[in-house]
Amino acid sequence: MMNCYRKNTYVLSTLLLLASQISLVTLFLFLSSNEVLSLFVFTEAFAPVTYKSDVVTTSLASSKITKKQSAIYDGSEFVSILSFLKYVGVPVQDEDGNDVTFIPQTRSGYMNFVTFKEGNDRMLGVECKDCSDEDEDEIKLRKMSDGTYLYEESIVAIPNKAGFTDAAVISTAHAALCGVHVGAVSSRAGDEYSLMEKIVVLGGGEYACFVALALTALGSRVTLVTTRPMQLKDTPLNPLRESKVEAMSPVVGEEDQGFAEYLVEFDSVIDTLDDEAKFVNVKLIDEGVKRLVGEYGVGAKLKQAHQCQRYISTLTKSQEIVLKEGLLFARPPVLTYQSRIEKQVTLNDLVYLPYPPGFQNTLAKIFDKGLLLPVDRNENGANGRKKSFVRGCSFPDYAELEIWPKDTTDGAAVRYGFPGIKELTLEARVDEMMGSLQSKDKNDRRKSKSENPFVLDSYCIEDIQEEIIDKKRNAVVFVSASYCTTCRSITPQYTRMARISKEEKNSDLFFVKANTVGKGGKRLSKILGVESVPTFLLFKNGERYGDSFGITKLPSKKLDAIIENMESGSEWDPSLIMGEESKRRTRIQ
């Protein structure tokens, strides 16, 4: 359960935050002058979830480059992109043509976007740096009149609509790569790319809203999780009002459910506020891939509990500096960093990123819907006038992260909705993968279960057989999982219930908590026929008594009535389990 968190406190803190933003933004100059969202949203029918990377073919005769800019990616966003490229089989190479295996020390890379005219048509493409005529046999290229080579499959038409300036188009393409394309593409098979169907975007800022709207343009079902009141209300000022994006708070309902548990299943999480996967600590690209696709860390927990196939962070280096230094002291180091990194492009100190296949289709769908992210400046000045630019930081994003409710269930604060701190340790990960929680040595197993005098902790079906069935006991079995927030929240009440039954009621009713993690736990849940947690089931004289049922809050009148019915000697009454709250339970992975 979330400690020290109540709705009135949450509302009050939000109001105080909004009031403080008015003065602090002016004082510290962290909010760019055009922070207000400027998006053009249309509501045509969305495209299918699978698309093909088509090649654009046009004449070279009248081509003329109108703008060329180096768009820099850095911080956790850069590591997310690099990991994605490795995952889909696109090699990243250094200037000598060797595959890059380590994350570069600068933790930064860039891509050159080029706008040009083809007759009366305006186009956008990505430069193939250091390419020549000899490369055309292996890569489909287009040579411009000034000798610049573009990836043929990167070229996309720019709509003839208001606001679609060269600077705005390049800014939008830059913003769409990580948050939209990397977050949405699930797999690659030749030229065919399938997209994530259910995507969660964390944050309610301008960038987060752009990402959410762009993902709906691709055909994904998007839920935006934010603490910002404006994005949660039906008001003309809500940038998501006319869209298909569903917005929700990180905490839902009287049970204080986290967003992940409430949504049950989703395919991808795009975090615009923080870096829960700790991409910032990654040194090898292969390690980044594991965090990206849920083989390690928070991604593994989200995958296990919610079928989540990807976690990415769009956190920039500038925003990392703000989180580290705090608002009062961050501006000088942010300015110094941005000035230095934008100059490093001309010195060839940064990795040049190859074109990510399918990105042309992503941009085409975004442009077709009239979406733009026309942010043309960072803390270091206007981007449109620079040869290279990097995405900056956002004070509102910093403020939103600060007021995001925390879960202290495991003794350390973690953003509400994510797995607890203890569940992310390497030891716990190894235990789950190897099934070591189920020891073959009965003495070792009994020793691990003797810590709680009122509830037997079980990790395998053999415990149920030996302690309940063989001994013909009356028993209550609470089936749980360590990654289930609701299970953790009701565990203390379950122990209290067992203690009262033994000490005050002098009952011989036996209480078991069965964990479904590890090989033994999965086998246990399969034999008991349990698919979601928390689930309760009863035994009478060692035999199953009735059906399993879900309870998300203790004490429970439903559970009390079922126990009383069993102990009175009555037959099972199916009407007692009516009203099961299945939407609030977590599917077993």
Side-chain angles (χ1 to χ4, degrees):
M1 285 290 291
M2 176 179 54
N3 294 341
C4 302
Y5 177 73
R6 295 291 184 270
K7 288 186 177 63
N8 56 346
T9 305
Y10 176 52
V11 173
L12 179 59
S13 65
T14 303
L15 292 176
L16 290 174
L17 170 68
L18 293 175
S20 67
Q21 287 182 13
I22 298 175
S23 59
L24 288 176
V25 169
T26 303
L27 180 60
F28 300 112
L29 301 178
F30 265 85
L31 180 59
S32 62
S33 60
N34 57 348
E35 178 71 23
V36 178
L37 186 65
S38 301
L39 297 176
F40 304 88
V41 184
F42 297 85
T43 56
E44 294 95 334
F46 295 142
V49 178
T50 302
Y51 62 92
K52 192 168 184 176
S53 180
D54 299 317
V55 176
V56 178
T57 303
T58 57
S59 171
L60 298 176
S62 58
S63 62
K64 179 182 178 181
I65 291 179
T66 56
K67 192 175 188 63
K68 179 179 178 180
Q69 269 190 306
S70 299
I72 303 171
Y73 300 91
D74 60 6
S76 300
E77 180 175 55
F78 169 69
V79 179
S80 293
I81 295 171
L82 212 58
S83 303
F84 169 78
L85 292 172
K86 177 65 179 292
Y87 175 65
V88 298
V90 178
V92 179
Q93 298 180 332
D94 59 23
E95 58 184 10
D96 297 323
N98 300 315
D99 288 349
V100 176
T101 57
F102 286 86
I103 302 297
Q105 190 173 4
T106 60
R107 306 188 81 79
S108 305
Y110 71 105
M111 183 179 293
N112 290 337
F113 288 99
V114 178
T115 58
F116 62 96
K117 278 190 173 182
E118 198 79 10
N120 294 325
D121 298 326
R122 296 171 58 224
M123 316 293 285
L124 171 72
V126 175
E127 181 183 8
C128 182
K129 195 169 179 290
D130 298 327
C131 288
S132 64
D133 293 338
E134 298 177 357
D135 296 311
E136 290 189 275
D137 294 335
E138 299 180 2
I139 309 172
K140 293 182 179 180
L141 299 174
R142 179 179 299 193
K143 186 177 181 180
M144 308 303 292
S145 57
D146 68 342
T148 298
Y149 286 89
L150 304 182
Y151 291 98
E152 181 73 38
E153 64 174 326
S154 74
I155 298 173
V156 59
I158 300 174
N160 185 22
K161 297 178 181 178
F164 277 78
T165 64
D166 290 344
V169 167
I170 291 177
S171 175
T172 300
H174 175 239
L177 177 56
C178 186
V180 183
H181 190 69
V182 173
V185 175
S186 62
S187 61
R188 177 185 181 188
D191 290 334
E192 295 287 343
Y193 286 78
S194 61
L195 299 180
M196 305 287 190
E197 293 188 27
K198 297 175 66 176
I199 300 178
V200 179
V201 177
L202 304 183
E206 181 177 38
Y207 179 69
C209 290
F210 164 75
V211 168
L213 291 169
L215 289 168
T216 61
L218 299 184
S220 298
R221 294 165 51 193
V222 182
T223 300
L224 183 136
V225 184
T226 180
T227 62
R228 303 192 190 201
M230 193 60 66
Q231 275 74 341
L232 299 173
K233 296 180 179 179
D234 185 13
T235 167
L237 297 178
N238 184 349
L240 306 175
R241 186 186 184 197
E242 301 296 329
S243 72
K244 292 187 177 182
V245 177
E246 295 183 7
M248 63 175 287
S249 169
V251 185
V252 183
E254 297 180 357
E255 305 296 332
D256 287 343
Q257 282 186 288
F259 68 89
E261 187 179 358
Y262 178 81
L263 294 173
V264 184
E265 292 183 0
F266 40 87
D267 300 316
S268 179
V269 172
I270 301 168
D271 196 344
T272 69
L273 301 178
D274 206 351
D275 175 16
E276 298 292 343
K278 305 304 178 187
F279 287 112
V280 68
N281 298 328
V282 170
K283 295 182 179 180
L284 291 170
I285 297 180
D286 285 341
E287 183 184 349
V289 173
K290 291 180 180 179
R291 296 172 189 252
L292 181 85
V293 299
E295 295 182 7
Y296 182 83
V298 70
K301 285 296 176 182
L302 291 171
K303 188 174 186 178
Q304 182 184 49
H306 306 288
Q307 300 274 336
C308 183
Q309 303 301 309
R310 181 160 311 155
Y311 172 90
I312 70 167
S313 170
T314 65
L315 204 66
T316 65
K317 179 62 178 179
S318 297
Q319 196 72 4
E320 288 176 7
I321 294 174
V322 174
L323 296 180
K324 180 180 179 181
E325 301 293 336
L327 184 61
L328 291 174
F329 306 102
R331 183 170 178 79
V334 164
L335 290 172
T336 300
Y337 165 75
Q338 290 179 356
S339 178
R340 175 176 57 82
I341 200 69
E342 289 174 353
K343 292 179 181 178
Q344 281 186 279
V345 172
T346 59
L347 300 176
N348 292 322
D349 286 346
L350 305 184
V351 171
Y352 189 79
L353 295 172
Y355 172 74
F359 190 39
Q360 178 245 21
N361 293 75
T362 297
L363 290 179
K365 292 177 186 295
I366 292 174
F367 291 163
D368 286 346
K369 295 297 180 182
L371 294 174
L372 280 176
L373 184 69
V375 178
D376 62 353
R377 65 176 296 108
N378 59 21
E379 291 69 32
N380 196 36
N383 293 337
R385 301 175 181 177
K386 303 174 184 177
K387 292 183 178 180
S388 59
F389 68 95
V390 65
R391 198 159 62 86
C393 55
S394 166
F395 168 69
D397 284 353
Y398 169 82
E400 179 171 10
L401 183 63
E402 286 297 302
I403 68 169
W404 192 289
K406 303 296 189 294
D407 184 354
T408 58
T409 300
D410 290 331
V414 62
R415 275 165 77 194
Y416 206 83
F418 282 96
I421 293 295
K422 289 182 180 179
E423 298 168 27
L424 300 181
T425 62
L426 180 60
E427 291 78 11
R429 173 81 175 134
V430 172
D431 281 344
E432 291 182 18
M433 295 301 295
M434 302 303 295
S436 61
L437 291 174
Q438 177 191 356
S439 172
K440 294 182 179 179
D441 190 316
K442 294 182 181 180
N443 293 329
D444 288 345
R445 197 170 70 223
R446 293 291 173 261
K447 183 178 180 180
S448 68
K449 295 182 294 188
S450 63
E451 298 176 1
N452 190 332
F454 306 108
V455 177
L456 172 70
D457 288 321
S458 170
Y459 296 96
C460 59
I461 193 64
E462 285 77 12
D463 292 329
I464 305 297
Q465 178 69 42
E466 296 172 12
E467 297 296 333
I468 298 177
I469 298 175
D470 292 348
K471 295 182 179 181
K472 300 185 182 302
R473 279 173 159 164
N474 290 346
V476 179
V477 178
F478 166 27
V479 185
S480 69
S482 58
Y483 49 80
C484 169
T485 304
T486 302
C487 298
R488 298 201 310 269
S489 69
I490 67 176
T491 293
Q493 288 84 356
Y494 185 67
T495 299
R496 179 176 180 273
M497 179 181 177
R499 180 183 62 77
I500 292 175
S501 176
K502 181 177 181 180
E503 293 183 345
E504 299 181 14
K505 297 182 179 180
N506 197 29
S507 171
D508 61 356
L509 188 62
F510 193 63
F511 287 81
V512 177
K513 181 185 176 185
N515 202 316
T516 59
V517 300
K519 293 181 180 179
K522 294 183 185 299
R523 181 166 168 262
L524 180 148
S525 61
K526 184 176 181 180
I527 293 176
L528 294 180
V530 176
E531 296 181 350
S532 301
V533 289
T535 287
F536 287 80
L537 50 92
L538 274 64
F539 285 82
K540 180 179 180 181
N541 296 326
E543 297 182 359
R544 280 285 293 269
Y545 180 74
D547 302 322
S548 60
F549 50 93
I551 289 177
T552 57
K553 186 176 182 180
L554 290 175
S556 166
K557 293 182 180 180
K558 179 196 296 186
L559 180 58
D560 291 342
I562 295 173
I563 292 175
E564 182 180 352
N565 193 67
M566 180 183 72
E567 292 185 323
S568 69
S570 301
E571 295 295 325
W572 168 252
D573 183 0
S575 66
L576 294 175
I577 63 172
M578 297 298 291
E580 180 180 347
E581 301 173 84
S582 60
K583 290 185 178 179
R584 295 184 175 181
R585 295 195 293 156
T586 301
R587 188 174 181 82
I588 294 175
Q589 304 302 321

